[in-house]
Every structure is written in C-alpha cells, then in structure tokens.
Amino acid sequence: MELPKVGSIGEYIRDQRKQAKISLRQLATQAGVSNPYLSQIERGLRKPSAEILNQIAKGLRISSQALYVQAGLIEDREPDSDVLAAIVADRTLTERQRQVLIDIYESFRKENRAEAQAGTERTAENARTEPAPQGVDAVPVEETETSSPNGRIQPEPKKG
Amino acid sequence: MELPKVGSIGEYIRDQRKQAKISLRQLATQAGVSNPYLSQIERGLRKPSAEILNQIAKGLRISSQALYVQAGLIEDREPDSDVLAAIVADRTLTERQRQVLIDIYESFRKENRAEAQAGTERTAENARTEPAPQGVDAVPVEETETSSPNGRIQPEPKKG
DNA sequence: TCCCTGTGCTTGCAAATGCAAACACACTGG
DNA sequence: CCAGTGTGTTTGCATTTGCAAGCACAGGGA
C-alpha cells in the first residue's frame, strides 16, 4: 500500500555507499546491521527503524538528519538546518529556551521566505543585505552590545 | 547503556504532554497512534519507531528533532554548542535577525550560568528535564505582538 | 578442473512493533 | 445504588523488523 518514500531512502543509502566505494557487507558491518537486512533496505523492501537508520548514517559517516530527511521523518517544516541541529543538540539550554530559539528561528525563516515571495527579484542574498523589511523590527533587539537578560528577554520567570 | 535512553524518551513525551495539559488519549488521537501504545511508550515499555515518534512530535506541536535527540538518535552531531557558529554561518538570515538570535542565545547562556551558580545542586540534566510551570506553548518572548493564540511566534501576516 | 573469496539476494524464524478490545479506578449524576 | 464518562493500563494478536543460514553468480590461483 504505502512504499513510495521507502524506496527513496534505500536509493539514497545505496548511492552514498557507492560513493564511499564500500561493499554492502562492509557497510553492514560498520553500521552493525546484518547484510541481508541492509540489502532489503537499499531495495526498499524494508522500512528501517530510526535506530538502524542512525547506525547506517554512522557507518556512512554522514549526518543522521540527512537520512531522516530522506526517509521523510523530519521534513516537518524545515528541510534541513544547521542552526536547528545545533540548537537541538545544545545541552546547555533548557527545553523552554530551546523551544524559544527554535520558534524565533523558524519565524525568521518563514518571514524571509514570504519576503522572497513578495519581492520579484528578491533573492535571499539580496534580502540579507537589506536592513529589515517589517516584522523583524518587532523583535526585541537592543542594537547596543549584548542585551542584558534583565532587559526584555526573560525566559525564566525565576520566582523567589 | 542500551536501555536507559528508552525510558527518557517516554518520560520526555509524558512531560511534554502534561505541560500541554492534554490527556493520553487525546494526544494519541492527535498523533494518530493508539492510546495503549502511547501509554506503553511513555512508560518505556515500547520503543517507538521514528515514524511514530514523528507523529507524536506533530501531536505535541514540538520539533521532531527534539524528540530524536531525546531518543538518542541524533546526538551524532557535535554535543557542544556550535549554535553561534551555525547562526553566523546561516546565509538565509538578515544581519538583524542574526544579531537577535545571538543576543537571545547568549542571554540564555548567561542566565543558565547564573542559575547554576545561585541554585543548589542544579545539574544540567536537572534543569533540562525540569517541567516549565507555564508550559512550552507559553513562550515567554511576548514583547512582540506577533505571538499567535497558538503560542507560537507568528511574524506579521504579511500585509501589502 | 576444483577450491576459495567476494559480491548481493532469498529464505525461514525469533522478537518486536502497534492496535483493538477489555480492564481497573475515580468522578459525576440519576 | 447503578449507569455514564473520563483517566491510564493490561491482554491477545496480526504485522513487521531484523538476523542467521544458505543460495546464486563472478573472479582468481593451483
């Protein structure tokens, strides 16, 4: 019934493996999965779990996210973003802080996309050099040095 | 080393669900998974596939990547914060946007450092899993008028 | 020729996912 | 008191993952 996406992930893996010039068995060993299973995955006969996917990514020395995107498991809203990956991976942030950063970043992306749509020849490069169209101004930014946490951005209610 | 992660993802999901103030069944419906299965996932009795994880993330309105990280499926990336590097390198952001993100991120870092100093034995793990009294949806960056009823930051619905 | 090593593929089968149905418990009314 | 509704949990089962063992084919070397 549903196997359209599965095929693409397999092709992608086989592609990457060919590029790395390693055999199916070799990748299977490096990834810690069985050879026949990897074969089935590459041909789209099996839908690997995230764990297996992650191991394959490690074996291929490529980003796990790239595989997840290919598998259609992250296509969420953003195709891919190093900033998001870094934010998500940052263990020094609280969950709420993380979510705030993600929300803001995504809103920026969305806004830039909308900007690019509205303007005719407005590419991202062009927009980048522009000061700021509209909505960006609404965001809290003390253009003077580092804004103090006591200023406007107060993520933790911090009672007591 | 192979099982403690499974528990944490379940706790994380239950945590997020509680914060969203929705019932198990409700989340199960929104995520398109069965209630009993979600129950087992939250208690760490089952290890959900990436597909299910993705659906749960959608149901919770949180980033899929956040869940994958919790499930230990993405920490492949640099664990440390190259957030700043990623922000600086992101060519899709305007200078203003970039500065906003940097300011916010640094304020978070500073706040966390201060908190670690002031707090008792507050480890990073503790702070990370600490449930927010308000809930994630109530993003505390409200100085802009762009926060939607949803709680998500919606940048000015592009007007002509 | 036969044997050996390497490639990928097919075949059962244990173990796990994921769900429908039913259960236990608490709360609300009638 | 029992019926109805809400919560989360347990149980049994179809389906699937993922692997060990084996198959088919190709290329060397003796």
Side-chain angles (χ1 to χ4, degrees), chain A residues 90-110:
Chain A
D90 193 319
R91 290 295 181 173
T92 72
L93 296 171
T94 71
E95 272 310 313
R96 264 198 302 165
Q97 290 172 341
R98 195 190 321 282
Q99 199 59 48
V100 168
L101 282 173
I102 290 174
D103 280 346
I104 293 175
Y105 179 71
E106 286 182 348
S107 77
F108 283 167
R109 295 280 295 239
K110 184 185 297 183

PDB file of all heavy atoms in Angstrom, chain A residues 90-110:
ATOM      1  N   ASP A  90      22.211  21.352  21.633  1.00  0.00           N
ATOM      2  CA  ASP A  90      22.833  22.111  22.716  1.00  0.00           C
ATOM      3  C   ASP A  90      22.267  21.688  24.066  1.00  0.00           C
ATOM      4  O   ASP A  90      21.117  21.947  24.391  1.00  0.00           O
ATOM      5  CB  ASP A  90      22.583  23.607  22.485  1.00  0.00           C
ATOM      6  CG  ASP A  90      23.460  24.441  23.402  1.00  0.00           C
ATOM      7  OD1 ASP A  90      23.615  24.068  24.582  1.00  0.00           O
ATOM      8  OD2 ASP A  90      23.997  25.460  22.935  1.00  0.00           O
ATOM      9  N   ARG A  91      23.110  21.052  24.835  1.00  0.00           N
ATOM     10  CA  ARG A  91      22.672  20.521  26.134  1.00  0.00           C
ATOM     11  C   ARG A  91      22.650  21.585  27.225  1.00  0.00           C
ATOM     12  O   ARG A  91      22.222  21.305  28.341  1.00  0.00           O
ATOM     13  CB  ARG A  91      23.602  19.390  26.556  1.00  0.00           C
ATOM     14  CG  ARG A  91      23.438  18.143  25.709  1.00  0.00           C
ATOM     15  CD  ARG A  91      22.065  17.570  25.904  1.00  0.00           C
ATOM     16  NE  ARG A  91      21.866  16.352  25.115  1.00  0.00           N
ATOM     17  CZ  ARG A  91      20.788  15.606  25.232  1.00  0.00           C
ATOM     18  NH1 ARG A  91      19.844  15.957  26.072  1.00  0.00           N
ATOM     19  NH2 ARG A  91      20.651  14.533  24.515  1.00  0.00           N
ATOM     20  N   THR A  92      23.121  22.754  26.918  1.00  0.00           N
ATOM     21  CA  THR A  92      23.156  23.769  27.968  1.00  0.00           C
ATOM     22  C   THR A  92      21.841  24.539  28.045  1.00  0.00           C
ATOM     23  O   THR A  92      21.660  25.352  28.937  1.00  0.00           O
ATOM     24  CB  THR A  92      24.303  24.766  27.720  1.00  0.00           C
ATOM     25  OG1 THR A  92      23.956  25.595  26.601  1.00  0.00           O
ATOM     26  CG2 THR A  92      25.596  24.036  27.424  1.00  0.00           C
ATOM     27  N   LEU A  93      20.958  24.284  27.094  1.00  0.00           N
ATOM     28  CA  LEU A  93      19.699  25.018  27.078  1.00  0.00           C
ATOM     29  C   LEU A  93      18.603  24.224  27.780  1.00  0.00           C
ATOM     30  O   LEU A  93      18.598  22.996  27.740  1.00  0.00           O
ATOM     31  CB  LEU A  93      19.261  25.298  25.635  1.00  0.00           C
ATOM     32  CG  LEU A  93      20.162  26.206  24.809  1.00  0.00           C
ATOM     33  CD1 LEU A  93      19.708  26.203  23.358  1.00  0.00           C
ATOM     34  CD2 LEU A  93      20.146  27.617  25.359  1.00  0.00           C
ATOM     35  N   THR A  94      17.712  24.924  28.412  1.00  0.00           N
ATOM     36  CA  THR A  94      16.524  24.263  28.939  1.00  0.00           C
ATOM     37  C   THR A  94      15.561  24.031  27.779  1.00  0.00           C
ATOM     38  O   THR A  94      15.698  24.647  26.722  1.00  0.00           O
ATOM     39  CB  THR A  94      15.822  25.117  30.005  1.00  0.00           C
ATOM     40  OG1 THR A  94      15.221  26.230  29.356  1.00  0.00           O
ATOM     41  CG2 THR A  94      16.792  25.574  31.065  1.00  0.00           C
ATOM     42  N   GLU A  95      14.601  23.173  28.019  1.00  0.00           N
ATOM     43  CA  GLU A  95      13.674  22.860  26.940  1.00  0.00           C
ATOM     44  C   GLU A  95      12.938  24.102  26.462  1.00  0.00           C
ATOM     45  O   GLU A  95      12.680  24.286  25.280  1.00  0.00           O
ATOM     46  CB  GLU A  95      12.664  21.801  27.386  1.00  0.00           C
ATOM     47  CG  GLU A  95      13.146  20.383  27.166  1.00  0.00           C
ATOM     48  CD  GLU A  95      13.665  20.175  25.752  1.00  0.00           C
ATOM     49  OE1 GLU A  95      12.999  20.588  24.797  1.00  0.00           O
ATOM     50  OE2 GLU A  95      14.771  19.615  25.608  1.00  0.00           O
ATOM     51  N   ARG A  96      12.596  24.931  27.411  1.00  0.00           N
ATOM     52  CA  ARG A  96      11.843  26.120  27.005  1.00  0.00           C
ATOM     53  C   ARG A  96      12.699  27.080  26.215  1.00  0.00           C
ATOM     54  O   ARG A  96      12.263  27.659  25.219  1.00  0.00           O
ATOM     55  CB  ARG A  96      11.261  26.813  28.233  1.00  0.00           C
ATOM     56  CG  ARG A  96       9.823  26.405  28.476  1.00  0.00           C
ATOM     57  CD  ARG A  96       9.170  27.372  29.368  1.00  0.00           C
ATOM     58  NE  ARG A  96       9.921  27.448  30.617  1.00  0.00           N
ATOM     59  CZ  ARG A  96       9.755  28.419  31.482  1.00  0.00           C
ATOM     60  NH1 ARG A  96       8.907  29.369  31.241  1.00  0.00           N
ATOM     61  NH2 ARG A  96      10.431  28.430  32.591  1.00  0.00           N
ATOM     62  N   GLN A  97      13.927  27.235  26.676  1.00  0.00           N
ATOM     63  CA  GLN A  97      14.823  28.107  25.929  1.00  0.00           C
ATOM     64  C   GLN A  97      15.026  27.573  24.516  1.00  0.00           C
ATOM     65  O   GLN A  97      15.018  28.326  23.544  1.00  0.00           O
ATOM     66  CB  GLN A  97      16.172  28.191  26.645  1.00  0.00           C
ATOM     67  CG  GLN A  97      16.101  28.954  27.954  1.00  0.00           C
ATOM     68  CD  GLN A  97      17.392  28.852  28.737  1.00  0.00           C
ATOM     69  OE1 GLN A  97      18.202  27.950  28.495  1.00  0.00           O
ATOM     70  NE2 GLN A  97      17.584  29.760  29.674  1.00  0.00           N
ATOM     71  N   ARG A  98      15.164  26.267  24.453  1.00  0.00           N
ATOM     72  CA  ARG A  98      15.352  25.637  23.152  1.00  0.00           C
ATOM     73  C   ARG A  98      14.167  25.941  22.243  1.00  0.00           C
ATOM     74  O   ARG A  98      14.318  26.311  21.089  1.00  0.00           O
ATOM     75  CB  ARG A  98      15.505  24.131  23.352  1.00  0.00           C
ATOM     76  CG  ARG A  98      16.056  23.407  22.134  1.00  0.00           C
ATOM     77  CD  ARG A  98      15.956  21.908  22.279  1.00  0.00           C
ATOM     78  NE  ARG A  98      16.249  21.416  23.604  1.00  0.00           N
ATOM     79  CZ  ARG A  98      17.464  21.282  24.086  1.00  0.00           C
ATOM     80  NH1 ARG A  98      18.501  21.596  23.361  1.00  0.00           N
ATOM     81  NH2 ARG A  98      17.638  20.828  25.310  1.00  0.00           N
ATOM     82  N   GLN A  99      12.985  25.779  22.815  1.00  0.00           N
ATOM     83  CA  GLN A  99      11.785  25.988  22.009  1.00  0.00           C
ATOM     84  C   GLN A  99      11.668  27.438  21.570  1.00  0.00           C
ATOM     85  O   GLN A  99      11.244  27.718  20.440  1.00  0.00           O
ATOM     86  CB  GLN A  99      10.545  25.565  22.813  1.00  0.00           C
ATOM     87  CG  GLN A  99       9.339  25.312  21.939  1.00  0.00           C
ATOM     88  CD  GLN A  99       9.599  24.229  20.901  1.00  0.00           C
ATOM     89  OE1 GLN A  99      10.117  23.161  21.218  1.00  0.00           O
ATOM     90  NE2 GLN A  99       9.267  24.506  19.652  1.00  0.00           N
ATOM     91  N   VAL A 100      12.062  28.332  22.453  1.00  0.00           N
ATOM     92  CA  VAL A 100      12.009  29.755  22.102  1.00  0.00           C
ATOM     93  C   VAL A 100      12.926  30.031  20.920  1.00  0.00           C
ATOM     94  O   VAL A 100      12.530  30.658  19.932  1.00  0.00           O
ATOM     95  CB  VAL A 100      12.427  30.627  23.306  1.00  0.00           C
ATOM     96  CG1 VAL A 100      12.642  32.055  22.857  1.00  0.00           C
ATOM     97  CG2 VAL A 100      11.360  30.564  24.391  1.00  0.00           C
ATOM     98  N   LEU A 101      14.136  29.528  21.010  1.00  0.00           N
ATOM     99  CA  LEU A 101      15.090  29.754  19.924  1.00  0.00           C
ATOM    100  C   LEU A 101      14.588  29.160  18.617  1.00  0.00           C
ATOM    101  O   LEU A 101      14.672  29.792  17.564  1.00  0.00           O
ATOM    102  CB  LEU A 101      16.456  29.153  20.290  1.00  0.00           C
ATOM    103  CG  LEU A 101      17.293  29.974  21.257  1.00  0.00           C
ATOM    104  CD1 LEU A 101      18.534  29.215  21.685  1.00  0.00           C
ATOM    105  CD2 LEU A 101      17.680  31.294  20.620  1.00  0.00           C
ATOM    106  N   ILE A 102      14.061  27.950  18.720  1.00  0.00           N
ATOM    107  CA  ILE A 102      13.559  27.291  17.519  1.00  0.00           C
ATOM    108  C   ILE A 102      12.413  28.092  16.906  1.00  0.00           C
ATOM    109  O   ILE A 102      12.361  28.326  15.699  1.00  0.00           O
ATOM    110  CB  ILE A 102      13.100  25.858  17.846  1.00  0.00           C
ATOM    111  CG1 ILE A 102      14.306  24.973  18.149  1.00  0.00           C
ATOM    112  CG2 ILE A 102      12.301  25.273  16.680  1.00  0.00           C
ATOM    113  CD1 ILE A 102      13.948  23.577  18.626  1.00  0.00           C
ATOM    114  N   ASP A 103      11.516  28.529  17.775  1.00  0.00           N
ATOM    115  CA  ASP A 103      10.370  29.297  17.277  1.00  0.00           C
ATOM    116  C   ASP A 103      10.831  30.574  16.581  1.00  0.00           C
ATOM    117  O   ASP A 103      10.363  30.913  15.500  1.00  0.00           O
ATOM    118  CB  ASP A 103       9.433  29.649  18.438  1.00  0.00           C
ATOM    119  CG  ASP A 103       8.548  28.465  18.806  1.00  0.00           C
ATOM    120  OD1 ASP A 103       8.486  27.522  18.003  1.00  0.00           O
ATOM    121  OD2 ASP A 103       7.930  28.496  19.871  1.00  0.00           O
ATOM    122  N   ILE A 104      11.745  31.253  17.215  1.00  0.00           N
ATOM    123  CA  ILE A 104      12.210  32.512  16.643  1.00  0.00           C
ATOM    124  C   ILE A 104      12.912  32.270  15.314  1.00  0.00           C
ATOM    125  O   ILE A 104      12.658  32.951  14.322  1.00  0.00           O
ATOM    126  CB  ILE A 104      13.161  33.224  17.629  1.00  0.00           C
ATOM    127  CG1 ILE A 104      12.369  33.677  18.865  1.00  0.00           C
ATOM    128  CG2 ILE A 104      13.835  34.411  16.959  1.00  0.00           C
ATOM    129  CD1 ILE A 104      13.237  34.274  19.946  1.00  0.00           C
ATOM    130  N   TYR A 105      13.762  31.269  15.324  1.00  0.00           N
ATOM    131  CA  TYR A 105      14.494  30.982  14.086  1.00  0.00           C
ATOM    132  C   TYR A 105      13.541  30.617  12.954  1.00  0.00           C
ATOM    133  O   TYR A 105      13.661  31.107  11.829  1.00  0.00           O
ATOM    134  CB  TYR A 105      15.496  29.846  14.323  1.00  0.00           C
ATOM    135  CG  TYR A 105      16.265  29.491  13.085  1.00  0.00           C
ATOM    136  CD1 TYR A 105      17.233  30.344  12.580  1.00  0.00           C
ATOM    137  CD2 TYR A 105      16.010  28.305  12.406  1.00  0.00           C
ATOM    138  CE1 TYR A 105      17.937  30.024  11.435  1.00  0.00           C
ATOM    139  CE2 TYR A 105      16.711  27.979  11.257  1.00  0.00           C
ATOM    140  CZ  TYR A 105      17.671  28.851  10.783  1.00  0.00           C
ATOM    141  OH  TYR A 105      18.360  28.539   9.648  1.00  0.00           O
ATOM    142  N   GLU A 106      12.564  29.781  13.303  1.00  0.00           N
ATOM    143  CA  GLU A 106      11.612  29.374  12.270  1.00  0.00           C
ATOM    144  C   GLU A 106      10.782  30.560  11.787  1.00  0.00           C
ATOM    145  O   GLU A 106      10.435  30.640  10.613  1.00  0.00           O
ATOM    146  CB  GLU A 106      10.706  28.269  12.800  1.00  0.00           C
ATOM    147  CG  GLU A 106      11.436  26.941  12.902  1.00  0.00           C
ATOM    148  CD  GLU A 106      10.533  25.828  13.375  1.00  0.00           C
ATOM    149  OE1 GLU A 106       9.422  26.125  13.839  1.00  0.00           O
ATOM    150  OE2 GLU A 106      10.950  24.658  13.278  1.00  0.00           O
ATOM    151  N   SER A 107      10.471  31.444  12.701  1.00  0.00           N
ATOM    152  CA  SER A 107       9.692  32.612  12.279  1.00  0.00           C
ATOM    153  C   SER A 107      10.514  33.484  11.341  1.00  0.00           C
ATOM    154  O   SER A 107       9.999  34.046  10.388  1.00  0.00           O
ATOM    155  CB  SER A 107       9.243  33.409  13.496  1.00  0.00           C
ATOM    156  OG  SER A 107      10.309  34.170  14.022  1.00  0.00           O
ATOM    157  N   PHE A 108      11.804  33.542  11.603  1.00  0.00           N
ATOM    158  CA  PHE A 108      12.687  34.295  10.712  1.00  0.00           C
ATOM    159  C   PHE A 108      12.701  33.665   9.322  1.00  0.00           C
ATOM    160  O   PHE A 108      12.567  34.345   8.301  1.00  0.00           O
ATOM    161  CB  PHE A 108      14.113  34.325  11.270  1.00  0.00           C
ATOM    162  CG  PHE A 108      14.281  35.301  12.401  1.00  0.00           C
ATOM    163  CD1 PHE A 108      15.419  35.280  13.198  1.00  0.00           C
ATOM    164  CD2 PHE A 108      13.304  36.249  12.665  1.00  0.00           C
ATOM    165  CE1 PHE A 108      15.575  36.187  14.232  1.00  0.00           C
ATOM    166  CE2 PHE A 108      13.453  37.159  13.703  1.00  0.00           C
ATOM    167  CZ  PHE A 108      14.602  37.126  14.482  1.00  0.00           C
ATOM    168  N   ARG A 109      12.856  32.364   9.327  1.00  0.00           N
ATOM    169  CA  ARG A 109      12.894  31.660   8.050  1.00  0.00           C
ATOM    170  C   ARG A 109      11.609  31.882   7.263  1.00  0.00           C
ATOM    171  O   ARG A 109      11.621  32.167   6.069  1.00  0.00           O
ATOM    172  CB  ARG A 109      13.108  30.167   8.292  1.00  0.00           C
ATOM    173  CG  ARG A 109      14.455  29.836   8.904  1.00  0.00           C
ATOM    174  CD  ARG A 109      15.541  29.822   7.844  1.00  0.00           C
ATOM    175  NE  ARG A 109      15.303  28.765   6.894  1.00  0.00           N
ATOM    176  CZ  ARG A 109      16.139  27.781   6.640  1.00  0.00           C
ATOM    177  NH1 ARG A 109      17.281  27.711   7.307  1.00  0.00           N
ATOM    178  NH2 ARG A 109      15.858  26.880   5.741  1.00  0.00           N
ATOM    179  N   LYS A 110      10.526  31.743   7.996  1.00  0.00           N
ATOM    180  CA  LYS A 110       9.232  31.890   7.333  1.00  0.00           C
ATOM    181  C   LYS A 110       9.086  33.296   6.748  1.00  0.00           C
ATOM    182  O   LYS A 110       8.639  33.492   5.625  1.00  0.00           O
ATOM    183  CB  LYS A 110       8.106  31.606   8.329  1.00  0.00           C
ATOM    184  CG  LYS A 110       6.724  31.633   7.685  1.00  0.00           C
ATOM    185  CD  LYS A 110       5.634  31.461   8.730  1.00  0.00           C
ATOM    186  CE  LYS A 110       5.716  30.111   9.411  1.00  0.00           C
ATOM    187  NZ  LYS A 110       4.599  29.931  10.373  1.00  0.00           N
TER     188      LYS A 110
END
